[in-house]
Amino acid sequence: MGFSTSRCDEFVEVLASKAPVPGGGGASALVAAVGTALGNMVGSLTVGKKKYADVEEEMYQLKEKATALQKEFLHLVERDAEVFEPLSKAYGMPRETEEEKAEKARVMAIVLKDACSVPMEIMEKCCEALDLIVEFAAKGSALAISDAGVGAVFCKAALQGASLNVFINTKSMADKEYAAELNAKADAMLEKYTKIADEIFESVEARLR
């Protein structure tokens, strides 16, 4: 659909419109890509510096992982739009007769699972990104420490944003057991990684004051 390759002003304009996509999921993926890139920038400003020669190889490895995550997040901007459109159409399906109700329920079960899969993946990758930013913040150039902090804040926001896109879909699921499983996975990630993001922020803030 090209949302990830559109200009910033175009993306924001469409996001603000009544168009069904992009929405909160795609926006979360984009914010996560930016947050990951900020961590990556810390690595870029660290390699090649004599002061940080002992961590240079590790920085290159972290940067490689961050670059791959950035690309995955941008792909998820597109994927979120792709899986939401069928859900949007399914909500509009007729349910006047018993046959129509049954067909709508069948379709909804499929598209709700698909619609949950992308924000769940965004959440998982936000956790991976925060694990990288922990290292960038601890071992990267002190001159770029604020960027690591901003990256952590962005990835935390993306993690929380994506979770809401999970919960709005699990709430509509007829399969309550499956919905509960997804909610539990999302809750576990929120519990662990919002704390990690806060710890990065607090550590960076303490070093800057």
Side-chain angles (χ1 to χ4, degrees):
M1 295 183 180
F3 292 122
S4 63
T5 57
S6 64
R7 292 184 343 203
C8 291
D9 60 337
E10 292 173 344
F11 184 91
V12 171
E13 184 177 349
V14 177
L15 192 63
S17 74
K18 62 182 180 180
V21 292
S28 295
L30 181 59
V31 169
V34 174
T36 305
L38 282 165
N40 203 347
M41 183 173 73
V42 177
S44 296
L45 292 169
T46 303
V47 297
K49 302 291 178 62
K50 291 182 181 180
K51 182 179 179 180
Y52 299 100
D54 58 332
V55 296
E56 182 163 300
E57 184 56 37
E58 184 178 358
M59 282 293 126
Y60 276 121
Q61 293 173 4
L62 291 169
K63 279 178 54 55
E64 184 177 351
K65 293 176 182 178
T67 298
L69 274 176
Q70 289 163 210
K71 293 177 181 178
E72 289 167 1
F73 280 128
L74 291 177
H75 175 65
L76 288 168
V77 173
E78 308 294 347
R79 285 288 299 136
D80 188 70
E82 289 170 5
V83 297
F84 180 76
E85 284 200 314
L87 176 60
S88 179
K89 292 177 181 177
Y91 274 118
M93 290 177 66
R95 44 173 304 181
E96 299 299 321
T97 67
E98 291 304 315
E99 291 77 8
E100 287 175 344
K101 289 179 182 178
E103 178 61 11
K104 182 172 183 176
R106 184 191 70 80
V107 173
M108 286 292 292
I110 296 170
V111 296
L112 281 168
K113 286 184 178 181
D114 289 342
C116 273
S117 66
V118 174
M120 282 294 292
E121 187 173 355
I122 294 169
M123 291 186 73
E124 290 164 0
K125 294 193 181 302
C126 283
C127 296
E128 293 177 32
L130 284 164
D131 282 334
L132 297 180
I133 294 174
V134 167
E135 301 302 319
F136 283 127
K139 302 171 184 177
S141 172
L143 296 176
I145 190 67
S146 60
D147 298 300
V150 177
V153 170
F154 278 30
C155 287
K156 176 188 174 183
L159 175 70
Q160 293 175 316
S163 76
L164 297 180
N165 285 270
V166 171
F167 299 143
I168 195 172
N169 290 315
T170 55
K171 186 177 182 180
S172 298
M173 286 181 172
D175 187 344
K176 298 304 179 185
E177 183 177 347
Y178 181 73
E181 289 177 11
L182 292 181
N183 286 346
K185 288 179 182 178
D187 286 337
M189 286 187 277
L190 287 170
E191 173 69 20
K192 180 178 180 178
Y193 280 91
T194 55
K195 290 179 181 177
I196 288 174
D198 288 343
E199 288 168 0
I200 297 170
F201 177 82
E202 289 165 8
S203 174
V204 168
E205 185 181 37
R207 289 169 64 181
L208 294 175
R209 287 181 177 270

